[in-house]
Amino acid sequence: MTIDPQLRDEMLATVPHLRAFAISLSGHVDKADDLVQDTLVRALTNIDQFRPGTCLQAWLFTILRNLFHTDYRKRRREVEDPDGLMASRLAVLPNQSGRLEFEELRAALAKLPTEQREALLLVTAEGFSYEEAAQITGTQLGTIKSRINRARTRLAELMNVDDPEDLGPDRLVRAVLHSPDLRR
Amino acid sequence: MTALSRGSTERPIVLQEAATDRSDPHRHLVPQLDPKVQALIGERLRLYYAELLTEPVPERLVDLIDRFAQSRKDRS
């Protein structure tokens, strides 16, 4: 099984996106890298199933997303996590550790239900269309729209954003200083 | 090609359309979010994500892809 140089380059260019998605989805950098590696192995060994001319990135995201959910369901059976404590453990990257402005968002993101988080990440962060996101997640268009809507509403609640003027850096620093529970 | 550079093209206005889309059976389930708040949340999320995208890719992932690309070169 081989890939041509163009496909190789395209796949390589997608890796940072797969990683960013996997990190934001799983909340763990190590787990994310394993997930990306498994995704690439699955893709490379089944490359004959990829239809040239279709979106490679969407194909790879579909594989990663399905692997994540298989693994997630397995872990759910092994360890009960009623309070979402495991799910809310946060991934902190070395060069992000001191970044207060990401702390709050990361904590809020981790508290979203997985389905809402993945929909929001695919469309708002990664820039897939609603249609592509529906295909990747194997759901209906309306479901995707609804999940994104709920995700944003919940994020606004968790980050205490009800007034846009309220999202300035001052407020953010105050929030982090005075609300230790934000970092749980 | 692809969605690689699409991250910056999605606009909060799209969500507004989605929220008012009458064909969406779920539309009534979620209260409307202030468009400005939507925009700010989206902006914050994209900034966070952009930072993740600048992370260097672990070597083992590059090697993995190249092993498959390599085997072709070896053959020809």
Short mmCIF file of all heavy atoms in Angstrom, two decimals, chain A residues 69-131:
data_model
loop_
_atom_site.label_atom_id
_atom_site.label_comp_id
_atom_site.label_asym_id
_atom_site.label_seq_id
_atom_site.Cartn_x
_atom_site.Cartn_y
_atom_site.Cartn_z
N HIS A 69 -14.97 8.01 19.39
CA HIS A 69 -16.21 7.59 20.03
C HIS A 69 -16.19 6.12 20.43
O HIS A 69 -16.72 5.76 21.47
CB HIS A 69 -17.40 7.90 19.12
CG HIS A 69 -17.82 9.33 19.21
ND1 HIS A 69 -18.74 9.78 20.13
CD2 HIS A 69 -17.39 10.43 18.54
CE1 HIS A 69 -18.87 11.09 19.99
NE2 HIS A 69 -18.07 11.50 19.04
N THR A 70 -15.55 5.29 19.62
CA THR A 70 -15.40 3.88 19.99
C THR A 70 -14.62 3.78 21.29
O THR A 70 -15.03 3.09 22.23
CB THR A 70 -14.64 3.12 18.88
OG1 THR A 70 -15.30 3.36 17.65
CG2 THR A 70 -14.61 1.63 19.17
N ASP A 71 -13.52 4.51 21.36
CA ASP A 71 -12.67 4.49 22.53
C ASP A 71 -13.38 5.09 23.74
O ASP A 71 -13.31 4.59 24.86
CB ASP A 71 -11.38 5.28 22.23
CG ASP A 71 -10.42 5.26 23.41
OD1 ASP A 71 -10.14 4.16 23.90
OD2 ASP A 71 -9.97 6.34 23.84
N TYR A 72 -14.12 6.18 23.49
CA TYR A 72 -14.82 6.88 24.56
C TYR A 72 -15.89 5.98 25.18
O TYR A 72 -16.01 5.89 26.40
CB TYR A 72 -15.46 8.15 23.97
CG TYR A 72 -16.15 9.03 24.97
CD1 TYR A 72 -15.40 9.88 25.80
CD2 TYR A 72 -17.53 9.04 25.09
CE1 TYR A 72 -16.03 10.70 26.71
CE2 TYR A 72 -18.16 9.86 26.00
CZ TYR A 72 -17.40 10.68 26.81
OH TYR A 72 -18.03 11.50 27.71
N ARG A 73 -16.63 5.29 24.31
CA ARG A 73 -17.67 4.39 24.82
C ARG A 73 -17.06 3.26 25.64
O ARG A 73 -17.60 2.86 26.65
CB ARG A 73 -18.47 3.81 23.65
CG ARG A 73 -19.60 4.72 23.20
CD ARG A 73 -20.59 3.96 22.36
NE ARG A 73 -19.98 3.45 21.14
CZ ARG A 73 -19.93 4.15 20.01
NH1 ARG A 73 -20.43 5.33 19.95
NH2 ARG A 73 -19.35 3.63 18.94
N LYS A 74 -15.92 2.76 25.16
CA LYS A 74 -15.24 1.68 25.87
C LYS A 74 -14.83 2.14 27.26
O LYS A 74 -15.04 1.46 28.25
CB LYS A 74 -13.99 1.24 25.07
CG LYS A 74 -13.69 -0.24 25.20
CD LYS A 74 -12.33 -0.58 24.61
CE LYS A 74 -12.23 -0.26 23.13
NZ LYS A 74 -10.84 -0.38 22.63
N ARG A 75 -14.26 3.35 27.31
CA ARG A 75 -13.81 3.86 28.61
C ARG A 75 -14.99 4.11 29.54
O ARG A 75 -14.89 3.92 30.75
CB ARG A 75 -13.00 5.15 28.43
CG ARG A 75 -11.54 4.88 28.12
CD ARG A 75 -10.75 6.16 28.14
NE ARG A 75 -11.10 7.02 27.03
CZ ARG A 75 -11.58 8.24 27.16
NH1 ARG A 75 -11.78 8.75 28.35
NH2 ARG A 75 -11.86 8.98 26.10
N ARG A 76 -16.09 4.56 28.95
CA ARG A 76 -17.27 4.83 29.78
C ARG A 76 -17.74 3.56 30.48
O ARG A 76 -18.21 3.60 31.61
CB ARG A 76 -18.40 5.38 28.89
CG ARG A 76 -18.34 6.87 28.72
CD ARG A 76 -19.27 7.54 29.71
NE ARG A 76 -20.64 7.27 29.31
CZ ARG A 76 -21.42 8.17 28.71
NH1 ARG A 76 -20.97 9.36 28.47
NH2 ARG A 76 -22.65 7.86 28.38
N ARG A 77 -17.63 2.43 29.75
CA ARG A 77 -18.04 1.16 30.35
C ARG A 77 -17.09 0.74 31.45
O ARG A 77 -17.49 0.15 32.43
CB ARG A 77 -18.11 0.06 29.29
CG ARG A 77 -19.43 0.04 28.54
CD ARG A 77 -19.65 -1.29 27.89
NE ARG A 77 -18.62 -1.63 26.93
CZ ARG A 77 -18.65 -1.24 25.66
NH1 ARG A 77 -19.62 -0.52 25.22
NH2 ARG A 77 -17.67 -1.58 24.84
N GLU A 78 -15.80 1.05 31.24
CA GLU A 78 -14.80 0.62 32.22
C GLU A 78 -14.85 1.45 33.49
O GLU A 78 -14.78 0.93 34.59
CB GLU A 78 -13.39 0.71 31.60
CG GLU A 78 -13.11 -0.40 30.61
CD GLU A 78 -11.90 -0.09 29.73
OE1 GLU A 78 -11.23 0.94 29.98
OE2 GLU A 78 -11.63 -0.88 28.81
N VAL A 79 -14.95 2.76 33.34
CA VAL A 79 -14.93 3.64 34.50
C VAL A 79 -16.16 4.54 34.50
O VAL A 79 -16.38 5.29 33.56
CB VAL A 79 -13.66 4.54 34.46
CG1 VAL A 79 -13.54 5.32 35.76
CG2 VAL A 79 -12.42 3.71 34.20
N GLU A 80 -16.94 4.42 35.52
CA GLU A 80 -18.07 5.34 35.64
C GLU A 80 -17.56 6.74 35.96
O GLU A 80 -16.67 6.92 36.80
CB GLU A 80 -19.01 4.86 36.76
CG GLU A 80 -19.97 3.77 36.32
CD GLU A 80 -20.89 4.23 35.18
OE1 GLU A 80 -21.46 5.32 35.32
OE2 GLU A 80 -21.01 3.52 34.18
N ASP A 81 -18.12 7.70 35.27
CA ASP A 81 -17.64 9.07 35.45
C ASP A 81 -18.84 9.99 35.53
O ASP A 81 -19.04 10.84 34.66
CB ASP A 81 -16.73 9.43 34.26
CG ASP A 81 -16.07 10.80 34.46
OD1 ASP A 81 -15.93 11.25 35.61
OD2 ASP A 81 -15.69 11.41 33.45
N PRO A 82 -19.66 9.79 36.57
CA PRO A 82 -20.95 10.48 36.61
C PRO A 82 -20.82 12.01 36.64
O PRO A 82 -21.66 12.70 36.11
CB PRO A 82 -21.61 9.96 37.89
CG PRO A 82 -20.49 9.44 38.72
CD PRO A 82 -19.43 8.99 37.77
N ASP A 83 -19.80 12.49 37.27
CA ASP A 83 -19.68 13.94 37.38
C ASP A 83 -18.87 14.55 36.23
O ASP A 83 -18.61 15.74 36.24
CB ASP A 83 -19.00 14.32 38.70
CG ASP A 83 -19.78 13.79 39.89
OD1 ASP A 83 -21.02 13.80 39.81
OD2 ASP A 83 -19.16 13.35 40.87
N GLY A 84 -18.48 13.70 35.30
CA GLY A 84 -17.68 14.23 34.19
C GLY A 84 -16.31 14.71 34.63
O GLY A 84 -15.72 15.57 33.99
N LEU A 85 -15.84 14.16 35.73
CA LEU A 85 -14.55 14.64 36.26
C LEU A 85 -13.42 14.33 35.29
O LEU A 85 -12.54 15.15 35.05
CB LEU A 85 -14.25 14.00 37.62
CG LEU A 85 -15.10 14.52 38.78
CD1 LEU A 85 -14.81 13.76 40.06
CD2 LEU A 85 -14.87 16.01 38.98
N MET A 86 -13.45 13.11 34.75
CA MET A 86 -12.40 12.75 33.80
C MET A 86 -12.49 13.61 32.56
O MET A 86 -11.50 14.09 32.04
CB MET A 86 -12.50 11.28 33.41
CG MET A 86 -11.58 10.43 34.21
SD MET A 86 -11.71 8.68 33.84
CE MET A 86 -12.32 8.61 32.18
N ALA A 87 -13.72 13.78 32.10
CA ALA A 87 -13.93 14.54 30.87
C ALA A 87 -13.51 16.00 31.03
O ALA A 87 -13.15 16.67 30.08
CB ALA A 87 -15.39 14.46 30.44
N SER A 88 -13.54 16.49 32.27
CA SER A 88 -13.23 17.90 32.45
C SER A 88 -11.75 18.15 32.77
O SER A 88 -11.35 19.26 33.01
CB SER A 88 -14.09 18.50 33.56
OG SER A 88 -13.75 17.94 34.80
N ARG A 89 -10.99 17.05 32.83
CA ARG A 89 -9.55 17.25 33.01
C ARG A 89 -9.00 17.96 31.78
O ARG A 89 -9.35 17.64 30.66
CB ARG A 89 -8.85 15.90 33.20
CG ARG A 89 -7.87 15.95 34.36
CD ARG A 89 -7.17 14.63 34.48
NE ARG A 89 -7.96 13.64 35.19
CZ ARG A 89 -7.82 12.33 35.00
NH1 ARG A 89 -6.98 11.88 34.12
NH2 ARG A 89 -8.54 11.48 35.69
N LEU A 90 -8.14 18.91 31.99
CA LEU A 90 -7.82 19.80 30.89
C LEU A 90 -6.44 19.54 30.31
O LEU A 90 -5.50 19.23 31.02
CB LEU A 90 -7.86 21.25 31.38
CG LEU A 90 -9.18 21.65 32.03
CD1 LEU A 90 -9.07 23.04 32.59
CD2 LEU A 90 -10.30 21.53 31.03
N ALA A 91 -6.39 19.67 29.01
CA ALA A 91 -5.11 19.56 28.35
C ALA A 91 -4.42 20.90 28.37
O ALA A 91 -4.97 21.89 27.93
CB ALA A 91 -5.31 19.11 26.90
N VAL A 92 -3.24 20.95 28.90
CA VAL A 92 -2.48 22.18 28.90
C VAL A 92 -1.20 21.96 28.12
O VAL A 92 -0.40 21.10 28.45
CB VAL A 92 -2.14 22.65 30.33
CG1 VAL A 92 -1.33 23.93 30.28
CG2 VAL A 92 -3.41 22.86 31.12
N LEU A 93 -1.03 22.69 27.06
CA LEU A 93 0.17 22.58 26.27
C LEU A 93 1.25 23.48 26.87
O LEU A 93 0.93 24.50 27.48
CB LEU A 93 -0.11 23.00 24.84
CG LEU A 93 -1.10 22.08 24.12
CD1 LEU A 93 -1.57 22.73 22.83
CD2 LEU A 93 -0.47 20.74 23.84
N PRO A 94 2.51 23.10 26.68
CA PRO A 94 3.59 23.87 27.29
C PRO A 94 3.50 25.37 27.04
O PRO A 94 3.56 26.16 27.98
CB PRO A 94 4.84 23.29 26.62
CG PRO A 94 4.46 21.92 26.22
CD PRO A 94 2.99 21.96 25.91
N ASN A 95 3.27 25.75 25.79
CA ASN A 95 3.29 27.18 25.53
C ASN A 95 1.94 27.85 25.78
O ASN A 95 1.75 29.02 25.54
CB ASN A 95 3.78 27.49 24.11
CG ASN A 95 2.83 26.98 23.05
OD1 ASN A 95 1.81 26.37 23.37
ND2 ASN A 95 3.14 27.23 21.80
N GLN A 96 0.99 27.06 26.27
CA GLN A 96 -0.30 27.64 26.62
C GLN A 96 -0.51 27.75 28.13
O GLN A 96 -1.47 28.36 28.57
CB GLN A 96 -1.45 26.79 26.06
CG GLN A 96 -1.70 26.99 24.58
CD GLN A 96 -3.01 26.35 24.18
OE1 GLN A 96 -3.34 25.30 24.69
NE2 GLN A 96 -3.73 26.97 23.28
N SER A 97 0.42 27.14 28.88
CA SER A 97 0.16 26.98 30.30
C SER A 97 -0.04 28.31 31.02
O SER A 97 -0.78 28.40 31.97
CB SER A 97 1.30 26.19 30.94
OG SER A 97 2.53 26.82 30.65
N GLY A 98 0.63 29.34 30.53
CA GLY A 98 0.51 30.62 31.21
C GLY A 98 -0.55 31.52 30.62
O GLY A 98 -0.68 32.68 31.01
N ARG A 99 -1.31 30.99 29.68
CA ARG A 99 -2.23 31.85 28.96
C ARG A 99 -3.59 31.90 29.63
O ARG A 99 -4.43 31.07 29.43
CB ARG A 99 -2.38 31.37 27.51
CG ARG A 99 -1.06 31.32 26.75
CD ARG A 99 -0.52 32.72 26.48
NE ARG A 99 -1.36 33.45 25.54
CZ ARG A 99 -1.21 33.37 24.23
NH1 ARG A 99 -0.29 32.60 23.70
NH2 ARG A 99 -1.99 34.06 23.44
N LEU A 100 -3.79 32.93 30.42
CA LEU A 100 -5.04 33.06 31.16
C LEU A 100 -6.26 33.12 30.24
O LEU A 100 -7.31 32.62 30.55
CB LEU A 100 -5.02 34.33 32.01
CG LEU A 100 -4.20 34.27 33.29
CD1 LEU A 100 -4.35 35.57 34.05
CD2 LEU A 100 -4.61 33.10 34.16
N GLU A 101 -6.05 33.74 29.08
CA GLU A 101 -7.22 33.96 28.22
C GLU A 101 -7.76 32.65 27.65
O GLU A 101 -8.89 32.60 27.20
CB GLU A 101 -6.92 34.96 27.10
CG GLU A 101 -5.97 34.47 26.05
CD GLU A 101 -4.57 35.01 26.26
OE1 GLU A 101 -4.13 35.00 27.43
OE2 GLU A 101 -3.94 35.43 25.29
N PHE A 102 -6.93 31.59 27.66
CA PHE A 102 -7.42 30.32 27.17
C PHE A 102 -7.94 29.41 28.28
O PHE A 102 -8.66 28.47 28.02
CB PHE A 102 -6.33 29.58 26.39
CG PHE A 102 -5.93 30.29 25.13
CD1 PHE A 102 -4.60 30.51 24.83
CD2 PHE A 102 -6.89 30.72 24.23
CE1 PHE A 102 -4.23 31.16 23.66
CE2 PHE A 102 -6.54 31.38 23.07
CZ PHE A 102 -5.20 31.60 22.78
N GLU A 103 -7.54 29.73 29.48
CA GLU A 103 -7.89 28.89 30.63
C GLU A 103 -9.40 28.73 30.78
O GLU A 103 -9.93 27.62 30.89
CB GLU A 103 -7.32 29.53 31.90
CG GLU A 103 -7.41 28.65 33.12
CD GLU A 103 -6.21 27.72 33.22
OE1 GLU A 103 -5.29 27.82 32.38
OE2 GLU A 103 -6.21 26.90 34.14
N GLU A 104 -10.08 29.87 30.71
CA GLU A 104 -11.52 29.88 30.93
C GLU A 104 -12.25 29.13 29.81
O GLU A 104 -13.15 28.33 30.07
CB GLU A 104 -11.99 31.33 30.99
CG GLU A 104 -13.37 31.50 31.56
CD GLU A 104 -13.81 32.96 31.54
OE1 GLU A 104 -13.28 33.74 30.73
OE2 GLU A 104 -14.69 33.32 32.33
N LEU A 105 -11.82 29.38 28.58
CA LEU A 105 -12.46 28.73 27.44
C LEU A 105 -12.25 27.22 27.50
O LEU A 105 -13.16 26.43 27.27
CB LEU A 105 -11.89 29.28 26.13
CG LEU A 105 -12.38 28.57 24.87
CD1 LEU A 105 -13.86 28.82 24.64
CD2 LEU A 105 -11.59 29.00 23.65
N ARG A 106 -11.01 26.82 27.83
CA ARG A 106 -10.68 25.40 27.88
C ARG A 106 -11.54 24.70 28.93
O ARG A 106 -12.05 23.61 28.71
CB ARG A 106 -9.20 25.24 28.20
CG ARG A 106 -8.59 24.01 27.61
CD ARG A 106 -7.08 24.07 27.60
NE ARG A 106 -6.51 24.88 28.65
CZ ARG A 106 -5.48 25.68 28.47
NH1 ARG A 106 -4.91 25.80 27.32
NH2 ARG A 106 -5.00 26.38 29.50
N ALA A 107 -11.68 25.34 30.08
CA ALA A 107 -12.49 24.76 31.15
C ALA A 107 -13.95 24.64 30.72
O ALA A 107 -14.60 23.63 30.96
CB ALA A 107 -12.37 25.61 32.41
N ALA A 108 -14.45 25.68 30.06
CA ALA A 108 -15.84 25.67 29.62
C ALA A 108 -16.08 24.63 28.54
O ALA A 108 -17.06 23.89 28.56
CB ALA A 108 -16.22 27.06 29.11
N LEU A 109 -15.13 24.53 27.62
CA LEU A 109 -15.21 23.57 26.53
C LEU A 109 -15.29 22.13 27.06
O LEU A 109 -16.06 21.31 26.58
CB LEU A 109 -13.97 23.72 25.64
CG LEU A 109 -14.06 23.45 24.15
CD1 LEU A 109 -15.24 24.15 23.51
CD2 LEU A 109 -12.75 23.86 23.47
N ALA A 110 -14.50 21.88 28.10
CA ALA A 110 -14.45 20.54 28.67
C ALA A 110 -15.76 20.14 29.33
O ALA A 110 -16.04 18.97 29.53
CB ALA A 110 -13.30 20.43 29.67
N LYS A 111 -16.57 21.14 29.68
CA LYS A 111 -17.84 20.84 30.36
C LYS A 111 -18.99 20.59 29.39
O LYS A 111 -20.08 20.20 29.79
CB LYS A 111 -18.20 21.99 31.31
CG LYS A 111 -17.33 21.99 32.55
CD LYS A 111 -17.68 23.15 33.46
CE LYS A 111 -16.70 23.22 34.63
NZ LYS A 111 -16.64 24.57 35.22
N LEU A 112 -18.76 20.85 28.11
CA LEU A 112 -19.82 20.60 27.12
C LEU A 112 -19.98 19.11 26.89
O LEU A 112 -18.99 18.37 26.95
CB LEU A 112 -19.46 21.25 25.78
CG LEU A 112 -19.39 22.76 25.68
CD1 LEU A 112 -19.03 23.15 24.25
CD2 LEU A 112 -20.70 23.39 26.08
N PRO A 113 -21.20 18.66 26.61
CA PRO A 113 -21.37 17.27 26.16
C PRO A 113 -20.53 17.03 24.90
O PRO A 113 -20.39 17.94 24.08
CB PRO A 113 -22.87 17.19 25.85
CG PRO A 113 -23.50 18.31 26.59
CD PRO A 113 -22.46 19.39 26.70
N THR A 114 -20.01 15.83 24.78
CA THR A 114 -19.10 15.52 23.66
C THR A 114 -19.70 15.87 22.30
O THR A 114 -19.01 16.43 21.45
CB THR A 114 -18.76 14.02 23.68
OG1 THR A 114 -18.38 13.66 25.00
CG2 THR A 114 -17.61 13.72 22.75
N GLU A 115 -20.98 15.57 22.12
CA GLU A 115 -21.62 15.81 20.82
C GLU A 115 -21.64 17.30 20.48
O GLU A 115 -21.47 17.69 19.33
CB GLU A 115 -23.05 15.26 20.79
CG GLU A 115 -23.16 13.75 20.74
CD GLU A 115 -22.84 13.10 22.07
OE1 GLU A 115 -22.85 13.81 23.10
OE2 GLU A 115 -22.56 11.88 22.09
N GLN A 116 -21.88 18.11 21.50
CA GLN A 116 -21.90 19.56 21.27
C GLN A 116 -20.49 20.08 21.01
O GLN A 116 -20.27 20.93 20.15
CB GLN A 116 -22.49 20.28 22.48
CG GLN A 116 -23.98 20.06 22.64
CD GLN A 116 -24.53 20.82 23.85
OE1 GLN A 116 -23.93 21.77 24.32
NE2 GLN A 116 -25.67 20.38 24.34
N ARG A 117 -19.54 19.54 21.77
CA ARG A 117 -18.16 19.99 21.61
C ARG A 117 -17.65 19.69 20.21
O ARG A 117 -17.05 20.53 19.56
CB ARG A 117 -17.27 19.34 22.67
CG ARG A 117 -15.86 19.92 22.73
CD ARG A 117 -15.15 19.61 24.03
NE ARG A 117 -14.93 18.19 24.24
CZ ARG A 117 -15.43 17.50 25.26
NH1 ARG A 117 -16.15 18.09 26.16
NH2 ARG A 117 -15.18 16.21 25.36
N GLU A 118 -17.91 18.47 19.73
CA GLU A 118 -17.38 18.11 18.42
C GLU A 118 -18.04 18.93 17.30
O GLU A 118 -17.37 19.36 16.37
CB GLU A 118 -17.50 16.60 18.15
CG GLU A 118 -18.89 16.12 17.86
CD GLU A 118 -18.94 14.62 17.56
OE1 GLU A 118 -17.91 13.95 17.62
OE2 GLU A 118 -20.06 14.13 17.30
N ALA A 119 -19.34 19.18 17.44
CA ALA A 119 -20.03 19.97 16.41
C ALA A 119 -19.48 21.39 16.36
O ALA A 119 -19.18 21.93 15.29
CB ALA A 119 -21.53 19.99 16.69
N LEU A 120 -19.31 21.98 17.53
CA LEU A 120 -18.79 23.35 17.61
C LEU A 120 -17.37 23.44 17.05
O LEU A 120 -17.03 24.35 16.29
CB LEU A 120 -18.80 23.81 19.07
CG LEU A 120 -18.39 25.26 19.32
CD1 LEU A 120 -19.47 26.22 18.86
CD2 LEU A 120 -18.08 25.50 20.79
N LEU A 121 -16.54 22.45 17.40
CA LEU A 121 -15.15 22.46 16.95
C LEU A 121 -15.08 22.31 15.43
O LEU A 121 -14.31 23.01 14.76
CB LEU A 121 -14.36 21.34 17.62
CG LEU A 121 -14.05 21.54 19.10
CD1 LEU A 121 -13.55 20.25 19.73
CD2 LEU A 121 -13.03 22.64 19.29
N LEU A 122 -15.88 21.40 14.89
CA LEU A 122 -15.82 21.14 13.44
C LEU A 122 -16.20 22.38 12.64
O LEU A 122 -15.53 22.74 11.68
CB LEU A 122 -16.74 19.97 13.07
CG LEU A 122 -16.26 18.57 13.45
CD1 LEU A 122 -17.35 17.53 13.20
CD2 LEU A 122 -14.99 18.20 12.69
N VAL A 123 -17.27 23.04 13.05
CA VAL A 123 -17.78 24.15 12.25
C VAL A 123 -17.12 25.48 12.63
O VAL A 123 -16.57 26.18 11.79
CB VAL A 123 -19.32 24.25 12.38
CG1 VAL A 123 -19.83 25.51 11.71
CG2 VAL A 123 -19.97 23.03 11.77
N THR A 124 -17.15 25.81 13.91
CA THR A 124 -16.68 27.14 14.32
C THR A 124 -15.16 27.24 14.34
O THR A 124 -14.59 28.23 13.90
CB THR A 124 -17.24 27.50 15.70
OG1 THR A 124 -18.66 27.35 15.67
CG2 THR A 124 -16.91 28.92 16.07
N ALA A 125 -14.50 26.20 14.85
CA ALA A 125 -13.04 26.26 14.93
C ALA A 125 -12.39 25.78 13.64
O ALA A 125 -11.50 26.44 13.10
CB ALA A 125 -12.54 25.43 16.12
N GLU A 126 -12.84 24.65 13.12
CA GLU A 126 -12.16 24.05 11.98
C GLU A 126 -12.66 24.60 10.65
O GLU A 126 -11.96 24.55 9.65
CB GLU A 126 -12.32 22.52 12.04
CG GLU A 126 -11.45 21.72 11.10
CD GLU A 126 -9.97 22.02 11.24
OE1 GLU A 126 -9.40 21.83 12.33
OE2 GLU A 126 -9.37 22.44 10.24
N GLY A 127 -13.87 25.12 10.62
CA GLY A 127 -14.36 25.76 9.42
C GLY A 127 -15.05 24.84 8.43
O GLY A 127 -15.23 25.20 7.26
N PHE A 128 -15.43 23.63 8.86
CA PHE A 128 -16.24 22.78 7.99
C PHE A 128 -17.64 23.39 7.86
O PHE A 128 -18.11 24.09 8.77
CB PHE A 128 -16.36 21.37 8.57
CG PHE A 128 -15.13 20.52 8.40
CD1 PHE A 128 -14.35 20.16 9.49
CD2 PHE A 128 -14.75 20.06 7.14
CE1 PHE A 128 -13.21 19.39 9.33
CE2 PHE A 128 -13.61 19.28 6.98
CZ PHE A 128 -12.84 18.95 8.08
N SER A 129 -18.29 23.09 6.74
CA SER A 129 -19.68 23.53 6.58
C SER A 129 -20.57 22.67 7.47
O SER A 129 -20.16 21.61 7.94
CB SER A 129 -20.11 23.39 5.12
OG SER A 129 -20.17 22.02 4.76
N TYR A 130 -21.80 23.14 7.69
CA TYR A 130 -22.75 22.33 8.45
C TYR A 130 -22.94 20.97 7.79
O TYR A 130 -23.04 19.95 8.47
CB TYR A 130 -24.11 23.05 8.53
CG TYR A 130 -24.14 24.23 9.47
CD1 TYR A 130 -24.32 25.52 9.00
CD2 TYR A 130 -23.98 24.05 10.84
CE1 TYR A 130 -24.34 26.61 9.85
CE2 TYR A 130 -24.01 25.12 11.71
CZ TYR A 130 -24.19 26.40 11.21
OH TYR A 130 -24.21 27.47 12.07
N GLU A 131 -23.01 20.97 6.46
CA GLU A 131 -23.22 19.71 5.74
C GLU A 131 -22.06 18.75 5.98
O GLU A 131 -22.26 17.56 6.22
CB GLU A 131 -23.35 19.98 4.22
CG GLU A 131 -24.66 20.63 3.81
CD GLU A 131 -24.69 22.14 4.06
OE1 GLU A 131 -23.66 22.70 4.51
OE2 GLU A 131 -25.73 22.76 3.82
#
